[in-house]
């Protein structure tokens, strides 16, 4: 548990280091699947003051089991995703500039090139808006549900992130570190896609065979990128 | 008073640290409501040379009561706002890039997402232009008046900033530090809104129920963001 | 002369510090009006290696009178401007991103707000293109001439910079330091104008009375900005 | 060979220093023409951990002749270019933001100004897309072939880079260091061209005589830029 706290702390600190957060906007969690405990950033604590010991531990019902601080207000969203997808080990939420801009525009981030395809096996979806009722009651829980609804039959590790309509990105991975890595990638491809669409209003999506090739270069049994 | 000078100094120094100012463009003030004295940055002094002791103290008539330097040329604008809104404790003016771009475009910064709604309970208004007469006489005083006119019946702590037509942003808060925080947020949401509108020319404003939810998560009696 | 070399060196080093140059793209000069000698950066020397003693001194005919290195290839442009405008003490040329983008677009940088009007009393002009003949012979000299032609009856200290068509910005001031200051301002207002025009395709130029007010707040007998 | 490894290492480390790469995206190689050996970055190793001794040496058949790590997955692309163009001494591939945006847009980066013309004697071409067959078999080799096909009768040192459709930039030069220099330039002119085209939708290409003048100021027998 101390090791996971350290990992989640380090992953949280990577957010300002990569320019993904302003002030306290953003949070990373990790899960211990054996114990079914989730470690997450405390709510509203500035990164400059954050310590590993500040990480909050909650159970799958969202009850604090360790830690003196209140967990991130987005904790219920994380819990829905961990519950639904046993393959996830880490989740991150940010308001990174360009990914949030697509969320505000209400559009999926289109797969336009190999930078995108190296990590995401298709467009990065944008959820529908939440209804007034979904927002009024258990808002953060409904945010998790609408992500699950939007992913539908996508394999979440092949679509390791989404933008929530008029809100911002959630990303995930097998570890907290990988979740942050995917958040950095999403912000970069969100920026590139914005610029590409400005250059060519009649832009075409990436060729299907090129997308599959690049995704499989890095993922799955035939992967040959990296040191293996 | 020394403590307020220190606060105002620190808030001024936060402007270049957050990338909001070039050279001497920008100023922060704070008010001691008991004494009715305002502490403000001196005019045209580079941030690299600024010292706490350089802060200028003026009374509500704008007369210097402490300090060897001339106060910011924008002092009369600050005084109008402090006079009109007793709930304000700090005011900041910058020429930050994206907020100023909206001011130059003559358009309010539209509320498009939760990043915006966490701080501003609606669009960030843009004032009308000042007339030739208003500019010719007591220009900075009239800048304050047109801000008040534009805010009309808005609660200023729910709309903690505005863009002045063809000029730039003014922000405020309960303290000088909070005013600067709001200026950082305005610059970021101004950038996001520019990008979002470029991605989707038929963009919709944030759903009313989502905006109210996010603003009330951070403000008012039902707030549950942060450590309370 | 050693003092001027030091000033010109410091002004050159300010270019990378302000993010205005990549590699060796850019140069600053200063003039000793009594001796009619111009101090300028050597051609193609990386900023990281530049020393005050590397500054090259040329006379008004462009002949090297001090220094072991070849002067900037843009020296003839600087000389035309010093010859034409006795009020200039420093000149700078860069390829800064946004000012160069306007030069490439072949459009003046429009005066849209007070940030611009604090330094430039109107649009920042864009020259016509040089003819094949003007480029073939004494190209850099003709660049100076087309700047003079474009400025026409503008007071150069009220329009302290210009963009040369399909090339980039030249700025100037009463000293090398002031010239660099104006180059930083031009880059910033070029960026703001690009964003503003993207937000509002029917944007209006700054109101004439607001422009005059802001320019005169900082310049001329009625100036009241700064410590006087 | 140790010297070349050191050069290739330094050139690789220059990529993050210039902001051209995120994580492990990018690679630089250099060639020893006498031995016909190519030194290249290992695949997927973070820059922060990279050491000169990690550089991998391959022969022209792509077989590792020195080094414990697997070479960059893009090695076959580099080999095609070295084979085809004996004048090349270094090659670099990145996913730099703005150059990649043009690649995704499927458009050449237009020559719009002298910044571009100082390095590229015309537009920076964009390749056609690879067919499903070309992607399925020997993908990275076919990437090299389509670059050669697109360059056709261009002198590669006069067009020291290209964007591969829906992928990103490849650049080259007489040395690994020069290749990186050209990659920095391409990213900068890609950004400027994007902004210029946004400012003026009816933008004109750079005048032919101005392009030739600037390219020849820096290249060929009549060059007079720099210290010669």
């Amino acid at each position: 548990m101390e090791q996971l706290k350290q990992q989640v702390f380090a992953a949280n600190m990577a957010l300002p280091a990569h320019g993904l957060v302003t002030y306290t906007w953003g949070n990373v969690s990790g899960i211990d699947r054996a114990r079914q405990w989730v470690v997450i950033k405390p709510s509203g604590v500035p990164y400059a003051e954050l310590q590993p010991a500040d990480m909050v531990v909650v159970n799958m019902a969202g009850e604090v089991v360790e830690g003196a601080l209140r967990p991130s207000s987005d904790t219920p969203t994380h819990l829905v995703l961990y519950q639904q997808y046993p393959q996830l080990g880490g989740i991150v939420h940010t308001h990174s500039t360009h990914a949030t801009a697509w969320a505000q525009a209400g559009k999926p981030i289109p797969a336009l090139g190999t930078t995108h395809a190296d990590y995401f096996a298709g467009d990065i979806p944008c959820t529908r808006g939440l209804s007034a009722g979904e927002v009024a009651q258990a808002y953060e829980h409904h945010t998790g549900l609408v992500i699950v609804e939007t992913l539908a039959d996508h394999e979440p590790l092949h679509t390791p992130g989404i933008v929530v309509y008029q809100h911002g990105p959630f990303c995930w991975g097998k570890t907290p570190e990988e979740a942050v890595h995917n958040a950095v990638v999403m912000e970069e491809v969100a920026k590139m896609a914005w610029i590409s669409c400005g250059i060519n209003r009649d832009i075409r999506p990436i060729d299907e065979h090129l997308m599959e090739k690049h995704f499989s270069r890095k993922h799955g049994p035939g992967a040959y990128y990296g040191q293996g």
Side-chain angles (χ1 to χ4, degrees), chain A:
Chain A
M1 189 55 51
E2 291 315 303
Q3 193 188 344
L4 183 58
K5 278 189 194 173
Q6 187 63 49
Q7 282 173 28
V8 170
F9 168 73
N12 272 290
M13 294 310 287
L15 296 182
H18 280 105
L20 295 194
V21 298
T22 301
Y23 291 119
T24 62
W25 310 347
N27 45 73
V28 187
S29 70
I31 190 166
D32 179 331
R33 287 283 176 189
R35 289 175 119 171
Q36 290 286 86
W37 283 3
V38 169
V39 178
I40 194 163
K41 181 174 174 288
S43 183
V45 175
Y47 288 92
E49 302 169 11
L50 209 59
Q51 300 292 335
D54 295 336
M55 299 299 109
V56 185
V57 186
V58 299
N59 62 22
M60 294 307 276
E63 296 156 344
V64 174
V65 293
E66 266 189 54
L69 298 169
R70 195 187 293 183
S72 165
S73 55
D74 296 310
T75 302
T77 311
H78 292 236
L79 293 177
V80 169
L81 299 176
Y82 283 127
Q83 201 82 61
Q84 182 72 21
Y85 306 117
Q87 59 274 60
L88 303 192
I91 297 173
V92 57
H93 170 52
T94 78
H95 288 228
S96 71
T97 311
H98 298 86
T100 302
W102 283 93
Q104 294 188 158
K107 292 192 173 287
I109 304 174
L112 299 176
T114 62
T115 318
H116 184 116
D118 279 339
Y119 295 88
F120 293 85
D123 291 354
I124 297 171
C126 181
T127 70
R128 64 168 173 81
L130 294 176
S131 70
E134 289 168 324
V135 166
Q137 295 228 333
Y139 164 56
E140 292 84 1
H141 181 75
H142 282 114
T143 300
L145 293 184
V146 81
I147 292 173
V148 171
E149 173 192 321
T150 307
L151 283 175
D153 54 358
H154 287 70
E155 160 52 46
L157 291 177
H158 291 192
T159 304
I162 205 168
V163 291
V164 175
Y165 181 62
Q166 297 188 333
H167 186 163
F170 281 82
C171 294
W172 43 80
K174 292 193 291 295
T175 63
E177 187 187 7
E178 190 181 288
V180 170
H181 191 112
N182 290 329
V184 172
V185 172
M186 192 200 284
E187 175 60 13
E188 180 63 18
V189 300
K191 183 175 184 183
M192 285 177 175
W194 162 56
I195 299 171
S196 292
C197 292
I199 291 171
N200 185 353
R201 293 276 166 193
D202 303 312
I203 200 165
R204 296 161 54 97
I206 185 171
D207 292 340
E208 194 70 28
H209 53 270
L210 186 62
M211 180 159 68
E212 281 165 16
K213 174 69 181 177
H214 265 265
F215 191 77
S216 66
R217 278 213 315 180
K218 287 210 172 182
H219 301 84
Y224 59 96
Y225 181 92
Q227 297 301 323

